[in-house]
Amino acid sequence: MLDQWHTGIVTKLVDETHNTRRFWIQVPDMERFDFKPGQFVTLDLPIHEKKNKRWRSYSIASHPDGSNIIELVIVLLEGGLGSTYLFNEIKEGSELLLRGPQGIFVLPEPLDKELFLICTGTGIAPFRSMANYIHLHGVPHAPIHLIFGVRYQHDLLYAAELEQLAGRLPNFNYIPTLSREENWSGKKGYVHSVYEDILQHEKRPANFFLCGWKAMIDEAKHRIQAMGYDRHDIHQELYG
């Protein structure tokens, strides 16, 4: 099953920020594309002779809605063969070879512990999927903190949508954190100070999901364990 590749058709493209693009992909040979929020797909791109050097994996940014269309959000990496191909060559109507869904970066059941969703950049994708799923299905949950770190306000992905969701979904806190923005009344600095502040007075049972750049994930794992949490409380999905 895992080795089964499908032809996807790009049905829509939207530039979300100056260097990120949203790709909607329909998989015509599947009636519905079933996945768990947090899972990813792998694309096979014509950028190398060797298979494993052609493969690029991306978390699904949309939530399972019973259709055969999924959304990916992809950042254009300087010198990145995969993202350069996707940005320069792929248009609406283009075909992409993909397989999936794959991955075990999925919500715990039940959601009876506080949940920290900590991400940078396009690492927001699986958490957007999870949060929308929890909201739409009325999944009972302990408090959820979505801590999203980027440099500038113009780098925030899905900002309006996540703010709306925070207003509608009880016990869901959306906390964008900007490391370089001057005119910003919200949280400044890096994501680490945010979860440390929330937990500084009391170590409560919690699950930590980390998605984004390796440096952030490595530092978060170190800091979370320094607060007294077990490594089994920490779940990660790496980018780059």
Side-chain angles (χ1 to χ4, degrees):
M1 184 64 199
L2 264 193
D3 288 333
Q4 197 176 355
W5 292 87
H6 302 271
T7 299
I9 296 169
V10 177
T11 58
K12 186 177 167 186
L13 294 169
V14 171
D15 286 333
E16 179 74 357
T17 68
H18 68 102
N19 67 342
T20 59
R21 187 171 292 169
R22 298 165 68 179
F23 292 73
W24 281 264
I25 303 168
Q26 184 170 28
V27 188
D29 68 357
M30 298 171 90
E31 197 166 313
R32 46 191 293 169
F33 192 92
D34 279 323
F35 65 97
K36 291 180 174 173
Q39 289 191 303
F40 65 88
V41 292
T42 299
L43 305 181
D44 186 345
L45 305 174
I47 52 176
H48 203 278
E49 287 83 59
K50 288 188 179 154
K51 269 186 193 174
N52 59 349
K53 296 203 171 171
R54 296 199 305 256
W55 293 347
R56 296 291 185 275
S57 295
Y58 299 100
S59 294
I60 302 170
S62 48
H63 54 274
D65 61 1
S67 78
N68 62 356
I69 297 176
I70 57 169
E71 181 191 331
L72 307 179
V73 61
I74 295 171
V75 62
L76 179 59
L77 292 173
E78 210 173 316
L81 286 178
S83 62
T84 300
Y85 173 83
L86 288 166
F87 273 67
N88 292 347
E89 306 298 329
I90 294 300
K91 312 277 184 277
E92 289 180 7
S94 296
E95 293 187 348
L96 284 168
L97 205 55
L98 66 93
R99 74 172 180 198
Q102 293 164 264
I104 54 169
F105 190 71
V106 296
L107 287 166
E109 291 175 28
L111 292 176
D112 54 355
K113 291 180 183 177
E114 216 159 319
L115 190 58
F116 288 83
L117 307 174
I118 303 162
C119 58
T120 49
T122 52
I124 189 75
F127 300 151
R128 178 196 183 221
S129 180
M130 290 174 183
N132 277 307
Y133 179 84
I134 290 166
H135 176 53
L136 283 169
H137 294 272
V139 179
H141 61 91
I144 300 170
H145 311 277
L146 173 53
I147 304 167
F148 182 23
V150 292
R151 289 174 178 174
Y152 299 102
Q153 196 166 348
H154 66 237
D155 296 320
L156 287 170
L157 295 158
Y158 306 115
E161 177 189 316
L162 292 166
E163 277 165 23
Q164 277 186 328
L165 195 58
R168 291 181 188 151
L169 181 57
N171 268 335
F172 174 73
N173 306 301
Y174 165 60
I175 311 167
T177 309
L178 307 184
S179 61
R180 297 195 186 168
E181 187 74 63
E182 297 293 322
N183 306 315
W184 172 250
S185 56
K187 294 277 184 194
K188 289 183 177 172
Y190 295 107
V191 292
H192 310 293
S193 61
V194 180
Y195 58 81
E196 287 177 337
D197 282 354
I198 293 171
L199 291 164
Q200 67 177 341
H201 299 301
E202 183 194 357
K203 176 182 171 275
R204 306 183 288 274
N207 274 301
F208 299 85
F209 278 70
L210 312 173
C211 190
W213 295 109
K214 183 175 187 304
M216 181 278 285
I217 288 182
D218 289 345
E219 186 169 345
K221 288 197 305 202
H222 178 74
R223 288 180 180 231
I224 291 163
Q225 289 180 79
M227 289 192 292
Y229 287 93
D230 189 87
R231 61 186 179 85
H232 298 296
D233 299 326
I234 304 171
H235 314 266
Q236 71 182 68
E237 194 75 287
L238 277 176
Y239 286 145

